[in-house]
Amino acid sequence: MPEPTPLDLPEGDPFGPHNLPYGVFSLPGTGRRTVGVRLGSHVLDAGAAAHALGSPYASLLAQPTLNPLLAAGRQAWSDVRRALTAWVTVPAHRDTVARFFHPLSDVTLHLPFEVADYVDFYASENHARNCGEIFRPHMDALTPNWKHLPIGYHGRSGTVVVSGTEVIRPAGQRKAPTDEVPSYGPSVRLDIEAEVGFVVGAPSELGRPVGLSGFRDHVFGLTLLNDWSARDLQAWEMVPLGPFLGKSFATSVSAWITPLEALDAARVAPPARDVPLLPYLDDADQDEPAGYDLHISVAINGHVVSEPPFSTMYWTAAQQLAHMTVNGASLRTGDLFGSGTVSGPEYAQRGSLLELTWGGRDVLELPDGKRTFLEDGDEVTLTAWAPGPDGVRVGLGEVTGRIAPGA
Ligand code: CA
């Protein structure tokens, strides 16, 4: 029997050859960052393997970020993925490729791409209704525009951080309705938002909207995303112009970007539309379903508090992309757009503590004590899986972050 290698995976491993997410890693003591591809609990030095195999993609892969690959466009993404699949499955490549794996426990993972612009949406009807009922109990839960356009805002790309980065409790100005005057201090209502982030590869031209059918040409892949939110800062500042400092202190993304091609078996139709949509958003006649059947799990200190189903999202990522560019705004390589908090219809499917505790009214019982919002030292981890080919699961790389005390 030959020695087992990183290519010998347990049956049904969610990070098997059907998945192959991309990241950027370095080895201890070298500081040299390079593109890696995850297989099981190992990472393949993709550039080094490409070079050893005489691949034409070596120059796209031997890079300190994914941006050159992202910019190369859809045909290159397919070609590179096909090559990688062959390298990890065809016996003739086996001995060569096996030399370029490192155990994940031996490497440092970095933010895998340079984030260009960051936009966050609000696409879950369950989440929007819950927020409406919590914040505006005497008004309609959904605003009049909600079913006509995907609501979003431009966030802060410079504070998008990779999984594992500590999140320092933000300080700011807040004023509860019962307070006479505003005060300043560390947030006492620090929360999470379980989301999925979409990563733009190919840019678009200024003045030229990207329609629904352009989604797969421009979007490279997706990643789990935690939109940390200071509810007390947010509540005081956000009317009338929207989220600002209550969100901009940190947004965490996974170290792994899952290419859309790995998720072909996970596509599902979005929920039925209740109102007719304008033509640029109307996806009734699209060839392929535009939703994704992602099963997300939210854990605090290892205890699962929620399992939000991404398949329930009202607005799809393709509609968000079409809306984001319908005014002629261009896309840049590395643009990131978040889905908005994913919340299903059930209690245990809510993607934020705001909803799980109903604005802090209720208490969440955890094995290590009661919570309304996050305490210093709490570690929040999002994981997810999607159906893959032949019944195998596609794992999404986790995104985790621990709360550190504020300054
Ligand atoms: Ca959000």
Side-chain angles (χ1 to χ4, degrees):
M1 283 279 286
E3 280 284 296
T5 75
L7 296 158
D8 301 304
L9 293 178
E11 183 98 10
D13 191 303
F15 291 94
H18 60 294
N19 188 342
L20 304 179
Y22 294 89
V24 166
F25 75 98
S26 63
L27 291 168
T30 69
R32 176 182 159 269
R33 298 183 183 200
T34 194
V35 170
V37 172
R38 180 168 173 179
L39 186 73
S41 55
H42 287 76
V43 57
L44 174 70
D45 183 335
H51 186 72
L53 290 162
S55 162
Y57 309 116
S59 60
L60 275 183
L61 295 171
Q63 296 281 350
T65 76
L66 290 175
N67 288 56
L69 176 62
L70 297 180
R74 186 175 179 181
Q75 188 61 51
W77 307 336
S78 282
D79 293 345
V80 170
R81 182 172 166 79
R82 199 175 310 112
L84 283 163
T85 305
W87 301 346
V88 300
T89 56
V90 175
H93 297 315
R94 202 182 155 89
D95 289 346
T96 307
V97 171
R99 292 189 280 130
F100 298 105
F101 281 98
H102 305 279
L104 280 173
S105 53
D106 285 359
V107 306
T108 302
L109 297 170
H110 302 278
L111 186 65
F113 63 106
E114 290 167 28
V115 183
D117 293 297
Y118 168 50
V119 164
D120 196 25
F121 284 96
Y122 190 56
S124 159
E125 181 172 354
N126 298 296
H127 175 70
R129 285 191 180 280
N130 288 340
C131 290
E133 288 175 28
I134 292 167
F135 287 128
R136 302 180 304 275
H138 307 299
M139 297 165 68
D140 287 341
L142 292 186
T143 50
N145 56 1
W146 201 90
K147 294 225 161 161
H148 294 278
L149 55 83
I151 292 175
Y153 67 95
H154 282 91
R156 191 169 188 84
S157 51
T159 49
V160 174
V161 296
V162 72
S163 176
T165 305
E166 154 178 285
V167 174
I168 299 167
R169 181 178 296 274
Q173 193 180 130
R174 64 276 175 100
K175 179 188 169 304
T178 48
D179 294 341
E180 279 200 8
V181 292
S183 60
Y184 171 88
S187 171
V188 294
R189 290 162 71 89
L190 184 54
D191 197 358
I192 58 145
E193 292 192 340
E195 303 197 17
V196 175
F198 290 81
V199 179
V200 170
S204 72
E205 216 176 305
L206 191 63
R208 294 275 179 91
V210 173
L212 289 172
S213 61
F215 177 70
R216 296 285 293 256
D217 290 331
H218 290 276
V219 174
F220 172 80
L222 56 76
T223 178
L224 288 172
L225 181 151
N226 187 346
D227 176 23
W228 306 96
S229 300
R231 301 300 181 193
D232 39 0
L233 278 56
Q234 184 187 354
W236 172 228
E237 75 180 2
M238 78 175 284
V239 178
L241 270 186
F244 188 33
L245 304 178
K247 300 273 194 178
S248 64
F249 55 94
T251 306
S252 297
V253 293
S254 172
W256 300 104
I257 310 300
T258 307
L260 292 185
E261 284 188 55
L263 295 164
D264 281 346
R267 284 182 295 187
V268 288
R273 278 56 171 90
D274 302 327
V275 299
L277 295 174
L278 288 169
Y280 79 95
L281 291 172
D282 186 355
D283 59 359
D285 295 328
Q286 293 290 302
D287 296 339
E288 300 167 337
Y292 283 96
D293 184 19
L294 312 177
H295 301 247
I296 302 170
S297 182
V298 182
I300 300 178
N301 301 329
H303 179 75
V304 174
V305 297
S306 175
E307 293 183 307
F310 192 72
S311 59
T312 60
M313 297 301 270
Y314 191 87
W315 295 103
T316 68
Q319 288 171 318
Q320 292 170 335
L321 189 77
H323 186 62
M324 198 161 79
T325 59
V326 75
N327 64 349
S330 50
L331 299 171
R332 294 194 293 171
T333 297
D335 280 359
L336 171 69
F337 60 102
S339 60
T341 309
V342 185
S343 290
E346 309 293 330
Y347 171 80
Q349 296 177 331
R350 297 174 181 171
S352 66
L353 292 174
L354 176 80
E355 296 163 87
L356 287 165
T357 68
W358 211 252
R361 181 194 71 188
D362 305 332
V363 163
L364 198 63
E365 301 273 0
L366 299 184
D368 60 353
K370 295 178 179 3
R371 295 289 188 292
T372 46
F373 292 95
L374 296 172
E375 296 182 359
D376 291 346
D378 279 347
E379 185 172 66
V380 181
T381 303
L382 311 184
T383 54
W385 64 271
D390 306 321
V392 180
R393 289 183 174 187
V394 179
L396 268 58
E398 68 169 26
V399 56
T400 189
R402 185 185 294 272
I403 307 301

